[in-house]
């Protein structure tokens, strides 16, 4: 079992630390050569989606990663990672991988509520701590996408096949439960 973490920008180290705590081997994807090895799952971290999306294209990672995700590779996108997966952004003309049938609003909580911390239920996992940092939320989901988490009436987590997208950062909390859930999904192949 080996999980790849996209490491071109953003909070990738925190995800690696969580995987390490679970005893799961991980490695960083920084350039095309890193894709030569096999892996069982991919984490797209939080950060700045515009920068990450641009770097992914410039580094030649876009097509191979999109192909793997569309082909069923288990993927967990957190915050900006969710934005990279979304089929549509309601307040941004960019689309990145576009493999997850959801419409996402960037920086959806505005400036004042830009960052906050809460506990909420994730379907199939239970209640976990969630850190929201200039977070997006999911405005609508397409067919086949299952809502797995809501906070204050807004959708903050979705699962579609082997793709999981959450608008919060589980990796800056002390709960390993979402990562464990993802690793189990990846192990199920
Ligand atoms: N605001 C960022 C964006 O739109 C996402 C924030 C995050 O990943 N913490 O890309």
């Amino acid at each position: 079992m080996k999980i790849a973490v996209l490491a071109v920008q953003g909070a990738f180290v925190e995800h690696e630390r969580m995987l390490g705590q679970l005893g799961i081997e991980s490695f960083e994807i920084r350039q095309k050569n890193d894709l030569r090895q096999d892996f069982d799952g991919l984490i797209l971290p939080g950060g700045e989606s515009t920068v990450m999306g641009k770097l992914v294209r410039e580094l030649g990672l876009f097509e191979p990663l999109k192909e793997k995700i569309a082909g069923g590779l288990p993927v967990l996108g957190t915050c900006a990672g969710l934005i990279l997966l979304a089929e549509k952004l309601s307040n941004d003309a960019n689309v990145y991988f576009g493999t997850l049938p959801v419409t996402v609003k960037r920086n959806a909580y505005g400036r004042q509520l830009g960052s906050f911390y809460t506990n909420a239920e994730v379907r199939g996992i239970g209640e976990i701590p969630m850190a929201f940092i200039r977070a997006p939320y999911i405005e609508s989901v397409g067919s086949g996408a299952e809502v797995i988490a809501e906070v204050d009436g807004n959708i903050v987590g979705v699962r579609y096949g082997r793709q999981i997208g959450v608008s919060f950062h589980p990796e800056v909390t002390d709960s390993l439960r979402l990562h464990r859930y993802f690793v189990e999904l990846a192990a199920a192949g």
Side-chain angles (χ1 to χ4, degrees):
M1 158 72 62
K2 207 190 314 180
I3 303 290
V5 182
L6 181 66
V8 297
Q9 194 264 339
F12 49 89
V13 173
E14 290 81 353
H15 281 292
E16 292 163 20
R17 201 174 297 142
M18 292 241 138
L19 292 168
Q21 284 176 36
L22 288 170
I24 299 296
E25 189 185 344
S26 68
F27 72 99
E28 297 180 348
I29 295 182
R30 292 176 174 273
Q31 54 182 350
K32 221 173 162 182
N33 279 350
D34 298 328
L35 294 173
R36 285 195 189 148
Q37 56 193 303
D38 281 338
F39 48 98
D40 307 288
L42 169 69
I43 294 183
L44 304 174
E48 181 56 44
S49 55
T50 319
V51 177
M52 235 188 280
K54 186 167 177 279
L55 287 171
V56 159
R57 282 212 170 83
E58 285 174 6
L59 293 164
L61 295 170
F62 182 77
E63 290 299 336
L65 285 180
K66 181 174 168 137
E67 205 170 289
K68 281 178 187 290
I69 298 167
L73 177 73
V75 59
L76 169 64
T78 62
C79 204
L82 161 70
I83 295 171
L84 294 186
L85 289 173
E87 199 176 79
K88 189 169 188 289
L89 305 176
S90 63
N91 56 349
D92 189 317
N94 286 306
V95 175
Y96 303 98
F97 296 122
T99 50
L100 184 64
V102 294
T103 298
V104 168
K105 183 175 182 184
R106 289 184 65 198
N107 301 319
Y109 292 92
R111 285 188 183 194
Q112 274 163 8
L113 251 183
S115 300
F116 63 100
Y117 192 86
T118 191
N119 288 287
E121 182 87 14
V122 177
R123 196 166 303 159
I125 299 181
E127 192 172 298
I128 58 166
M130 301 175 177
F132 290 82
I133 306 168
R134 289 179 24 85
Y137 61 61
I138 297 159
E139 284 187 332
S140 61
V141 302
S143 77
E146 181 197 1
V147 174
I148 58 168
E150 286 176 86
V151 169
D152 297 331
N154 297 315
I155 303 168
V156 298
V158 69
R159 176 171 171 179
Y160 176 71
R162 293 182 201 156
Q163 300 179 54
I164 299 172
V166 296
S167 60
F168 53 90
H169 289 258
E171 78 284 7
V172 302
T173 72
D174 58 8
S175 170
L176 294 168
R177 290 168 75 187
L178 188 70
H179 286 78
R180 188 175 293 125
Y181 177 79
F182 176 62
V183 165
E184 281 165 9
L185 176 76

